[in-house]
Amino acid sequence: MATVETRALRKEFTGHTAVDGVDLTINEGEFLVLLGPSGCGKTTLLRMIAGLESQTSGDILIGGRVVNDLPPRARKIAMVFQSYALYPHLSVAKNIAFPLKAQGAPRESIAGEVDRAAKMFGIERLLHRKPRQLSGGERQRVALARAMVRHPDVFLLDEPLSNLDAKLRNLARDELKQFQRRLGTTTLYVTHDQVEAMGLGDRIAVMSGGTVRQLGRPQEVYDEPADTFVAGFLGSPPMNLVPVDGVLVGFRPEQLLAPGAPASEGVGPAVPMRFAVERVENLGAGRLLYGTLPDHAPDQKIIVSLAYTVHSSIEAGRTYDFRMHESNLKFFDPGTGRRVPARPLPARRSA
Amino acid sequence: MADPKKIAGGVVNFGVIAAFTGFAAFPFAWMVITMFKQTKDLLDPAHNPFVYNAPPTLEHLRVLFQDTLFLHWVGNTLFVGVLVVLITLVLAVPAGYSLARLTGPAGEKLGIGIFLTYLVPPTILFIPLSRLVALLGLQDRLWALVLVYPSFTVPFCTWLLMGFFKVIPKDVEEAAMIDGHSRLGAFVRVILPMSVAGLLTTIIFSFTLVMQEFVYGLTFITSSKNLTLSVGVPTFLVRGDVYFWGSLMGACFLSSVPIAILYNLFVDRFIAGFTVGAVKG
């Protein structure tokens, strides 16, 4: 176990900067998720920590030790690749034993370690098979077993679930989190999937354009986005951003309360807000309403999400009196996109 | 009743396979028939060439083994072949790997450049090369061929191996580096075992090139005991306008069959998608 720290870490490729001065500290035993769209630099950052890519400038510390010039094998890390990168010419047992052999572990101990790792991931009966005879989920387990077998200081995971089908992915996510809890190994996990990030991370670092836009606990990043990028990237559908009197007002689709929906407690009083519904999408587990706020921004389309438990009848083409807790409104500078202090919502235009 | 479409399909299938088999096997059959035929029988235009009109004979093989240095030439060819294969592997494997992995987009252009050098015909190169051979004092020695043959096996095999290394996912090699190996270690433990098909192709290809090479063999070797098969056989079994057909066919048959068997042993390896299952599949 160890901490991982990057200090002003930069990576430039010819023509563009992939990682632009990232300062990040991953605490001992923490599960940190790097979340961002493709091309935001998250994988490059991970590969620099792994030692597969050399940094242009800045420092990387693992367990308090500067590892800038150490090759990957000397960093005491294990990595699970998006493709799993199993060795196709070796059996599952030999795949798992590979890092132990490479480190020169005593022959007697290898078989025991392999069995232990295989048991942990429930793949004992696959040990004699070749990777090409395994399903996607089984390959992923083999890759995880191979990564943990030699007790690394740090786990690096590069979108390890993205090749699984949706059904398996939920299950694998749960298992992954449990293994990490049990082992207590410091983990850095790269993904573009916000659901994975919210579900797995102790903390999330949201990246864009080579920089970390926000670092915090999942709920914190969701509730209190630092800028419009984070606000728009997390949540499905994302946060509504409505220009009102020179400022961007943001609120989550589920925060606009339908008539008859119960108000949340402890977040202050709810103010009325009229909502003109243009289209209703029934998704089974809830409803999505598309429309505008005629009193605040009649030209800006917004999305409202109604939970399954809200039974109010809503029809397209009509305007309803919705409500909103003022404390749920977030304000952003339209120029920089950064958060600005909360202010009272400007008065209605048509009153 | 079986579906008539299926039967027709089977017949076409069988017909195509039979035609190709006949095409591939015909030269071997012709060689075998001819090498045991009496010369009178062979040269009589009234005789059916596919059957023995006179009793078969071992005379042609006797001529081949006793009156020529055939076994000697086989030995020379093996000597040159094995050394050239080794030199080719030692140079082309690292070169192909580097071009596939380390030099980025420039590597591809360099690779094509290297392949182009293979296209320069020996008939142009043998004049400058003969001066080089003379300078090194290697005239009429097998070492001249050991030196010269890699000039065309290395470029071609580098290019060939480049293709094999390229299809191996980079992830697998990086995984090995994280799992505790240096780049060289990862190459030896993971990349080479995954490239067995490419290595075998390189070995067989270089060896066959050496076996069939004629121009350099003729230019740089003069004494009969130093000749390789490809020069020795036509030089000594074609005298003026007299062709020793039986012995020629015997020599061809005996030297081509081992190569054919070798090819067949590894044909699966050549074809098999060897990296299937390494990554998501």
Side-chain angles (χ1 to χ4, degrees):
Chain A
M1 262 182 284
T3 59
V4 177
E5 199 181 337
T6 68
R7 291 182 186 158
L9 197 60
R10 277 177 69 82
K11 176 71 184 181
E12 282 168 24
F13 293 110
T14 36
H16 84 288
T17 305
V19 174
D20 194 1
V22 169
D23 294 287
L24 197 63
T25 303
I26 310 166
N27 302 320
E28 199 153 318
E30 186 180 28
F31 197 122
L32 188 102
V33 177
L34 278 180
L35 173 69
S38 55
C40 73
K42 57 190 191 302
T43 296
T44 308
L45 179 58
L46 185 85
R47 288 172 57 84
M48 281 193 282
I49 293 171
L52 295 172
E53 208 83 62
S54 59
Q55 64 271 34
T56 309
S57 65
D59 293 319
I60 300 166
L61 291 84
I62 296 177
R65 189 170 57 126
V66 177
V67 296
N68 291 355
D69 301 317
L70 290 182
R73 63 180 183 280
R75 297 188 180 195
K76 298 189 83 178
I77 48 167
M79 185 159 164
V80 175
F81 291 79
Q82 183 173 9
S83 63
Y84 311 138
L86 300 179
Y87 308 122
H89 59 296
L90 300 177
S91 67
V92 168
K94 285 188 173 157
N95 259 283
I96 300 175
F98 190 91
L100 297 174
K101 276 195 185 146
Q103 289 175 322
R107 190 175 285 270
E108 320 73 80
S109 73
I110 290 180
E113 290 281 341
V114 170
D115 281 343
R116 200 178 53 81
K119 199 169 279 173
M120 185 159 180
F121 290 93
I123 48 173
E124 302 101 310
R125 62 190 176 80
L126 306 176
L127 284 176
H128 59 279
R129 292 209 200 156
K130 288 278 178 68
R132 65 172 167 276
Q133 299 166 305
L134 304 179
S135 71
E138 289 166 341
R139 283 179 201 175
Q140 194 236 3
R141 286 154 173 270
V142 175
L144 285 170
R146 184 178 69 182
M148 59 75 65
V149 72
R150 64 199 169 122
H151 312 289
D153 281 351
V154 181
F155 273 140
L156 304 174
L157 300 131
D158 187 6
E159 311 228 7
L161 304 183
S162 62
N163 281 337
L164 300 179
D165 57 55
K167 228 186 202 170
L168 207 53
R169 210 177 297 167
N170 280 351
L171 207 66
R173 198 163 71 212
D174 177 47
E175 282 183 359
L176 193 62
K177 183 71 186 173
Q178 285 185 25
F179 286 129
Q180 197 268 343
R181 282 253 169 77
R182 212 182 315 161
L183 295 169
T185 308
T186 310
T187 302
L188 183 60
Y189 185 104
V190 162
T191 184
H192 66 271
D193 182 336
Q194 42 137 343
V195 178
E196 268 174 36
M198 293 289 293
L200 283 171
D202 294 328
R203 284 191 301 162
I204 299 177
V206 185
M207 282 189 77
S208 161
T211 57
V212 174
R213 294 300 188 95
Q214 188 171 6
L215 174 66
R217 284 180 293 103
Q219 200 61 47
E220 209 174 284
V221 176
Y222 186 81
D223 286 341
E224 305 291 341
D227 59 21
T228 48
F229 174 80
V230 178
F233 194 73
L234 270 109
S236 171
M239 183 177 266
N240 292 302
L241 293 168
V242 183
V244 180
D245 289 344
V247 66
L248 280 177
V249 179
F251 57 91
R252 294 283 173 197
E254 65 275 15
Q255 286 169 340
L256 196 59
L257 303 172
S264 318
E265 283 180 19
V267 285
V271 296
M273 196 178 266
R274 290 202 308 143
F275 177 48
V277 180
E278 289 172 6
R279 203 161 69 80
V280 178
E281 249 176 27
N282 197 332
L283 301 178
R287 281 175 289 177
L288 286 184
L289 314 179
Y290 297 79
T292 55
L293 299 174
D295 299 333
H296 302 280
D299 302 326
Q300 179 68 39
K301 278 253 190 176
I302 65 161
I303 303 176
V304 171
S305 149
L306 294 188
Y308 176 70
T309 48
V310 176
H311 301 291
S312 329
S313 103
I314 305 281
E315 284 169 33
R318 292 184 54 187
T319 300
Y320 295 90
D321 285 322
F322 277 54
R323 287 163 304 142
M324 163 71 73
H325 290 287
E326 276 208 283
S327 59
N328 282 337
L329 297 174
K330 315 296 167 196
F331 296 83
F332 302 91
D333 183 309
T336 63
R338 306 292 300 174
R339 268 289 278 284
V340 293
R343 58 186 73 176
L345 196 62
R348 293 182 181 198
R349 280 179 193 169
S350 61
Chain B
M1 276 302 283
D3 184 351
K5 261 192 185 169
K6 262 191 185 166
I7 297 175
V11 169
V12 170
N13 233 343
F14 181 81
V16 169
I17 292 171
F20 273 104
T21 311
F23 181 74
F26 179 76
F28 289 95
W30 190 254
M31 286 191 281
V32 171
I33 293 170
T34 310
M35 70 194 259
F36 295 117
K37 249 189 188 185
Q38 293 189 22
T39 309
K40 264 190 301 175
D41 178 11
L42 181 72
L43 296 182
D44 190 334
H47 285 173
N48 179 350
F50 293 101
V51 296
Y52 290 102
N53 302 287
T57 172
L58 288 174
E59 173 62 13
H60 303 307
L61 289 183
R62 190 199 62 73
V63 168
L64 183 64
F65 282 99
Q66 291 182 1
D67 298 353
T68 72
L69 295 167
F70 180 70
L71 285 177
H72 220 84
W73 299 334
V74 171
N76 290 344
T77 306
L78 279 177
F79 173 79
V80 175
V82 168
L83 281 175
V84 169
V85 164
L86 286 178
I87 291 172
T88 306
L89 284 178
V90 165
L91 295 177
V93 168
Y97 175 69
S98 323
L99 285 173
R101 279 293 145 81
L102 301 174
T103 52
E108 194 156 330
K109 291 196 185 90
L110 200 58
I112 293 172
I114 285 180
F115 177 68
L116 288 179
T117 65
Y118 169 73
L119 300 180
V120 178
T123 38
I124 291 176
L125 283 179
F126 83 89
I127 296 168
L129 281 174
S130 67
R131 298 210 43 184
L132 195 69
V133 167
L135 201 72
L136 294 170
L138 294 176
Q139 303 101 313
D140 195 23
R141 295 179 61 188
L142 287 172
W143 288 104
L145 300 181
V146 173
L147 180 76
V148 165
Y149 285 167
S151 71
F152 58 82
T153 58
V154 170
F156 185 82
C157 292
T158 299
W159 182 79
L160 190 83
L161 282 167
M162 216 170 110
F164 278 95
F165 289 137
K166 256 193 195 147
V167 296
I168 296 182
K170 229 178 162 183
D171 283 1
V172 177
E173 164 182 1
E174 290 178 341
M177 285 167 70
I178 284 178
D179 282 348
H181 286 292
S182 59
R183 187 175 276 279
L184 185 67
F187 179 67
V188 173
R189 295 296 164 90
V190 175
I191 304 299
L192 284 186
M194 283 173 75
S195 324
V196 174
L199 297 178
L200 285 173
T201 311
T202 306
I203 290 169
I204 293 184
F205 192 83
S206 319
F207 194 79
T208 348
L209 275 183
V210 168
M211 276 191 74
Q212 68 185 36
E213 204 290 326
F214 187 79
V215 174
Y216 293 147
L218 185 69
T219 321
F220 300 135
I221 305 291
T222 40
S223 45
S224 54
K225 71 169 175 27
N226 283 345
L227 290 176
T228 52
L229 272 177
S230 56
V231 181
V233 169
T235 311
F236 281 82
L237 294 173
V238 182
R239 297 185 190 158
D241 57 354
V242 182
Y243 286 73
F244 286 66
W245 283 119
S247 309
L248 276 171
M249 289 299 146
C252 291
F253 182 76
L254 293 177
S255 49
S256 59
V257 160
I259 297 287
I261 290 175
L262 206 63
Y263 257 110
N264 276 297
L265 280 182
F266 295 120
V267 72
D268 292 351
R269 284 292 178 91
F270 294 144
I271 297 166
F274 206 62
T275 56
V276 172
V279 296
K280 181 207 172 198

